[in-house]
Amino acid sequence: MLSIKLARNTGFCSGVRRAINIAEKTLLSAKENKVYSLGQIIHNPQVIKRLKERNLCVVNSLDNIEARSTVILPSHGSPKRVLIAAKKKNLKLIDVTCPYVSSVQRICSRLYGQGFKVVIIGDEKHPEIRALLDLAPGARVIDKAEDINDGKITFKKIGIISQTTQAKDKFFLMVSKILEKNPEVREAQIFNTICLDTANRQKEAAKLARSSDVLLVIGSKMSANTKRLFSIGRKINKNTYLIEKEDAPLDKILKGAKTVGIISGASAPDWLAKKIIEKIRHK
Ligand code: SF4
């Protein structure tokens, strides 16, 4: 009999839950009026599909939005210049930026204002980082050790922050490499801005990977925190799988396993994990 070990942190994180609740209420009160979202509110295609079925219109540019419309801004934050342009167009903005992301934005602005060279550990293509770069012009983004080895880090005042979904070990490794490579530094401020939900899920993913024959990470390949959980699990247990939909080939994946660990990314809905657990129980 297959035993299921379910992570405590499964389903939406608080920031995603809040964003989706606000989006649903906005759609409900808009009735027949069009509601837009500028980009994906969260990184999960199934959740976005459900919102589209309720009349959400997802666009990638302000140019595709009629003036004075209602626009939901994404949970991972929006660049300042987009907010300014949106206000000029008289759009009614519903900003669902996660409060944790907003607090990282405040730290980033403060460091920049105090004359620190801001260094962000993260993926520069991610929208969360693009919004931070708008708050600290000239900030440097570092995603891997090779990004540090180009000899360009010579800042006297340096402020280091992290993308909210980074792995803790990687963040501290990058911080020590940056300081090592920066002999001119006189003042350094380091903020571990990895969110608590992310840190807890990463700890649980590692624990489940160690104690289960197979680890299932439920979520989307578009989601940075889901991909991180998958890579943490995979490093420990090669039988770690990223499951995006309920029709994944579970029979094949779980063949011969006695224990299966299940965890989800912060933007994967509860109902998806429940459907997958039901399927496993009725195997
Ligand atoms: S993962 Fe963390 S930072 Fe991202 S939305 Fe959830 S609570 Fe906010």
Side-chain angles (χ1 to χ4, degrees):
M1 168 105 177
L2 183 62
S3 132
I4 299 174
K5 295 180 180 186
L6 181 63
R8 206 176 316 155
N9 293 287
T10 303
F12 288 159
C13 66
S14 58
V16 167
R17 182 167 292 115
R18 175 180 170 275
I20 297 303
N21 283 344
I22 297 173
E24 285 176 347
K25 278 185 194 146
T26 305
L27 287 166
L28 198 67
S29 62
K31 295 184 178 127
E32 299 303 305
N33 296 322
K34 224 172 193 175
V35 174
Y36 293 88
S37 84
L38 191 55
Q40 312 264 315
I41 298 173
I42 64 157
H43 286 149
N44 186 285
Q46 287 137 307
V47 177
I48 299 298
K49 185 170 167 265
R50 285 192 169 195
L51 292 174
K52 280 182 179 168
E53 284 162 5
R54 297 176 66 180
N55 270 341
L56 180 71
C57 184
V58 182
V59 294
N60 286 320
S61 162
L62 286 174
D63 298 340
N64 302 328
I65 301 177
E66 293 157 31
R68 285 176 285 281
S69 303
T70 300
V71 186
I72 305 175
L73 299 169
S75 61
H76 32 259
S78 307
K80 208 165 103 191
R81 69 197 132 83
V82 171
L83 299 177
I84 294 168
K87 275 181 193 148
K88 273 194 192 146
K89 234 181 147 176
N90 283 325
L91 299 175
K92 186 182 172 214
L93 300 180
I94 310 286
D95 189 353
V96 298
T97 302
C98 168
Y100 198 86
V101 173
S102 302
S103 79
V104 181
Q105 291 179 343
R106 283 194 291 277
I107 294 171
C108 183
S109 293
R110 198 178 66 226
L111 287 169
Y112 178 72
Q114 292 172 346
F116 285 85
K117 177 75 179 181
V118 177
V119 176
I120 309 164
I121 312 298
D123 170 9
E124 70 182 322
K125 292 197 200 87
H126 195 280
E128 180 186 325
I129 303 301
R130 292 208 297 268
L132 290 173
L133 286 171
D134 230 29
L135 297 170
R140 179 99 191 260
V141 183
I142 289 184
D143 193 24
K144 47 193 179 317
E146 298 87 82
D147 298 340
I148 305 166
N149 293 335
D150 61 8
K152 283 188 202 142
I153 300 183
T154 51
F155 312 125
K156 289 199 166 60
K157 282 178 77 167
I158 188 168
I160 309 177
I161 57 178
S162 171
Q163 186 174 351
T164 52
T165 48
Q166 284 292 305
K168 190 180 71 184
D169 293 355
K170 177 180 160 187
F171 174 69
F172 287 115
L173 179 70
M174 293 296 143
V175 167
S176 73
K177 281 191 183 290
I178 290 166
L179 295 178
E180 203 181 289
K181 278 269 170 188
N182 190 9
E184 311 226 345
V185 72
R186 289 288 170 271
E187 195 178 347
Q189 288 207 20
I190 295 149
F191 292 87
N192 173 2
T193 50
I194 298 165
C195 97
L196 191 62
D197 184 278
T198 297
N200 288 339
R201 282 181 204 240
Q202 289 177 358
K203 251 188 256 163
E204 275 201 290
K207 200 169 154 199
L208 286 172
R210 271 186 222 104
S211 61
S212 315
D213 295 327
V214 173
L215 175 64
L216 304 182
V217 178
I218 299 171
S220 164
K221 281 183 188 145
M222 287 165 64
S223 152
N225 77 81
T226 305
K227 285 190 289 182
R228 190 82 52 206
L229 295 178
F230 171 73
S231 82
I232 288 171
R234 235 316 145 72
K235 265 189 205 152
I236 298 166
N237 183 339
K238 66 176 176 28
N239 295 319
T240 296
Y241 297 87
L242 201 156
I243 306 291
E244 291 196 280
K245 295 182 187 158
E246 64 253 45
D247 59 4
L250 292 172
D251 283 342
K252 195 170 152 209
I253 288 171
L254 296 172
K255 196 169 176 208
K258 291 201 168 53
T259 50
V260 55
I262 299 180
I263 190 162
S264 85
S267 50
D270 297 306
W271 55 260
L272 182 57
K274 278 186 191 144
K275 277 188 180 176
I276 288 166
I277 292 166
E278 275 309 294
K279 266 189 87 176
I280 294 174
R281 286 208 173 114
H282 291 105
K283 242 172 47 74

